[in-house]
Amino acid sequence: MTEETAELKIFFDSPKVFEIQNIKPLMGLTGLYFIFNDKTRIQYPFKTSRLLYIGMSEKKTNSIGSRLTEHFEGKSKNWGLINYGKVNQLYFTYINFEMLRKFWSNRVEDLESYFILDFVEKYGVYPICNNKSGYEILDKKLKANFIINWPYFE
Amino acid sequence: MTKIKSINISGIRGIKDPLPLNLDNKSILIFGENGSGKSSLTDAIEWYYSDGVEHLISKETGATKGRGSLRNLFIPDNEDAFVNIHYSNNKLNATKSIDGSLRTSVSNTTDNFKEYLLATQSENLILRYRDLVEFIIATPGEKIEKLQNIIGFSAVADVRGLLKKSAGRIARNIKSANFDNQKNAQHTVVLDNLGQNAYTDDQLFAGANLLIKPLHIGKDIKSHKDIKDVLKTIEAKGDTALLEQISFYTKVGENLTEIFGNIDNIHSSYKTYHTIYTELRKDPENIQKLQLLALLKEGQSVLKNDVVQDDYCPLCLQEKSKIELIKELEERIRELETLEQKKDKLKEQGQKLKDTLRVNVNTIDGLLKEKLFKEEQQATLLEKVQQIRTSLNVFTDELKKELIAKDSIHEPSKIQINKKEISELAKQAQDTAKELTESKGSNTKFQIYTKLFQTVTAYNQYQSIKRQQEILTKQQITFQVLFADFIKRQEEALNVFLKTFSTNIDEYYTAMNPNEKIKDIKLVPIKDKNDDLVGITIEYSFFDETKTPPIAYLSESHINCLGLSFFLASVKAFNKQNELFILDDVISSFDRPHRTRFAKLLTDKFGEYQILLLTHDQGFFELVASDVKNKGWLIQNFTWSKENGVGIEKGTTDIKERILKKFEDKNTNGLGNDIRVYTEKIMKEIANNIDAQVAFRYNEINEKRMAPELLDAVHSRISKKGSELKDKANIQRLKGIPMFIGNVTSHDNEFNESIADLAAIWEDIEKTILIFYCDECGKSISIKYFDNVENKIRCGCGKLTYDWKQ
């Protein structure tokens, strides 16, 4: 894609309760996933949002299903998610990478970076449970012109 | 609870003439030599209740469930054989008959009786020696099946199987349909045309309104109807052919994108299939052996059904313990079943792949029906699409190959579908559709029409796929939830049952084997890796270590004890209709202490039951008889003669009465032995009374000396004490009787004397005994009654006296 690429507005699919029954069917899928609170909003620098975590799966063997299962079972040791899960009903939604493949010629990792950086732009900081300070997200302006429906999480 | 008042059997098995047994709801102990008709009684009762006789069923008699061998050979064809039973509840009284053409009929046709018979099917009424260990040596799977049948869980297990199968089938459908992939293909179209994706109507309408904005048609889309109206308004009739082409290429793009998304799944699924296939083929001999499985199972059934009676292998005819043989067969069957499970896994994996391939082939077939493919200009595209179908068919063909075929299936790397080519083809088609749309560059209306049309079609398609997915997922979840709940409840109920059942088994086993190192016998459920109940094993503590299964450590006698304990525990657990059971010669392998404890167990713990206890073992008969004669049991003997067939006579434990009866019947069968046993018994009593001492010896020597040494001891004692008694009681004469000489190997030596010889011997013995016993008071002389004044030994009343030196 070039700078002239037309805007593509990205909506999120309806929220699913963060429980194993909803996670299992996502085995074998690659793409991005978003974990968020039921009601509790996080006060980010620019705006509040229920979004806690943006994650990705780049391989079918370590699919969205497996990654979410690790979070659900606490194996990912993401204490933020674990503790939010203790006091809140958590939800998740996901974007199947295949849907965007035609519009995104790079890797899933880059797509995740794109989404995270876009969130940083709008909210001032990474999602609270991403614990991310490394992996500098680069090149956003070169690759796409996604308009992400962040208000979905507000 | 039902008991039996009387049984009358006629013309069944060895019983030719009517054999009435008046039980009067009481237990009965029946003694009979082998071939005297005990088993005929058991067979008749089994046929009465179950319509067949299990041990008579073989390949030859299978069709009639053993009925072909049921009628006595010597009854005329026009005469009915029958079993008539009168019960404590007389509404159940019935006669079951079988005529010359093996047609059976039952006199009692009431619902009461039908219900009673039906309920009895699930009860344990008869235990034969050969059935003793059946449950113990059964495989874990057979054990659970047997228990499930008895406790009415088989229907439950069927439902469980059905639920599991249904959930599995739906899960497979969901997986092979790869709904997410299908949805993505539609999303891509929406994104491409609308510049956004749309999960909801609102999102679609908002996008559509933005799309039609440049047309200024003054209409706000708020519903699907509005979209239709807009499409109708801006439709350009002259561009139908172009629109058809755009639709065609869009569909090609969509379908190929969808197939592209499934290719990884096909490849990895085939790889798994190939791995299992190759693993199984490593040992082709094993695969060949699988064909023996049915044969081995048949062999197992032949042995278990007692088609072969003795301890030998029916194939090689070599001597072999039947239990050992069954055990070996079970091991081989288990090995092959493990192999069969792997083969089933291969089949299951093959089915999964087949389902996925079918979905893709259907997609291609649907696409190939597009009429534009008939046009010459599409020949190259047609060929490429057909090529995809061919490459899918290669996988289907591989799946058809037999496991033991000469050539193995292809390596996964050799039959890869060219993913890149499909992706490029899909992109080309999508680009063509776009180019065609843009070919009318200046015609904004046309472009918007095309985009809106494609979007709506894709969106509707997406919603339809989503609905299908939701319906199937809901069904799958429902089945899973039902299954999980079902398993939980089934396990709870089964565990409660197993606990009670195990407690009883343990109690009965311990009663027969006290102070032994086998404790805590219990039935334990076995689960597979999916947590499914697949069998039951018997677990016990042996020298404080948990062991399983029993056959590995226990002797035959202990296993028989365990078998008896299972039967008795199952009587307590399952016999709700009948308060009765039959034990047919079940103690053959028991030694004396086990027999004693078993007899005590029956009288102590099963006093309220009506027991029909049949034995051919004289010792056991006497043992039980002495225990139960004061407890209201009936005691009878079965006899058999050529002239009269099976007969009954009052059973007696008084050996003298038995001897006199045999003389009366001129029946020499066991008479010599009875006379010897009687003589020994009396001589022991006399020796005790006159204080004739026999030196201590170990038991194996004791066995060799019983009668001669007792006679010696008595002779020696009376010789020392007074000539009067010594002269009268000619003990030396008795010592010369052949049956008392050389009685070395067993108490049960056979004697071949004629009835006249035996009568003479009996006369001598009676005369000798009479010398010691008073005909007035019936008591023997005893040093208890020694007369100090007269120096005489005398009987209880003092009538019989002899000189006795101080």
Side-chain angles (χ1 to χ4, degrees), chain A residues 140-153:
Chain A
K140 179 194 166 210
K141 58 186 174 185
L142 293 176
K143 299 295 178 190
N145 200 4
F146 292 143
I147 299 170
I148 301 163
N149 182 29
W150 295 119
Y152 174 93
F153 301 106

Side-chain angles (χ1 to χ4, degrees), chain B residues 519-615:
Chain B
K519 283 184 275 185
D520 303 329
I521 300 164
K522 54 188 163 200
L523 296 175
V524 183
I526 305 176
K527 290 178 172 185
D528 65 7
K529 62 179 186 325
N530 299 323
D531 224 25
D532 284 349
L533 185 65
V534 288
I536 283 184
T537 188
I538 302 166
E539 198 179 278
Y540 58 97
S541 152
F542 186 61
F543 283 92
D544 296 329
E545 263 186 62
T546 303
K547 298 282 182 198
T548 188
I551 207 154
Y553 296 94
L554 305 187
S555 70
E556 189 178 334
S557 162
H558 285 93
I559 286 175
N560 285 347
C561 275
L562 201 53
L564 266 176
S565 305
F566 271 99
F567 178 80
L568 293 175
S570 65
V571 164
K572 284 262 177 180
F574 308 129
N575 291 19
K576 304 295 177 204
Q577 188 68 236
N578 293 291
E579 205 168 20
L580 65 99
F581 59 92
I582 301 166
L583 297 170
D584 186 353
D585 255 341
V586 290
I587 46 84
S588 294
S589 67
F590 284 9
D591 56 13
R592 194 176 169 83
H594 279 101
R595 287 171 191 204
T596 312
R597 291 184 207 121
F598 171 57
K600 193 166 162 15
L601 176 69
L602 282 185
T603 50
D604 283 1
K605 303 278 180 192
F606 293 86
E608 72 273 29
Y609 283 84
Q610 182 181 30
I611 305 171
L612 278 67
L613 182 58
L614 286 67
T615 181

Side-chain angles (χ1 to χ4, degrees), chain B residues 277 281 398-407 409:
Chain B
Y277 181 93
R281 265 179 76 96
E398 291 305 286
L399 291 179
K400 284 179 190 158
K401 285 187 184 166
E402 290 287 338
L403 196 52
I404 45 172
K406 193 174 159 232
D407 296 319
I409 58 170

Side-chain angles (χ1 to χ4, degrees), chain A residues 9 11 21 60 94 96 102, chain B residues 180 184 192 195 197 199:
Chain A
K9 190 164 186 182
F11 288 108
Q21 184 184 307
K60 285 180 191 296
Y94 66 99
N96 191 328
K102 193 178 168 196
Chain B
D180 282 289
N184 282 328
D192 213 7
N197 59 344
Y199 293 99

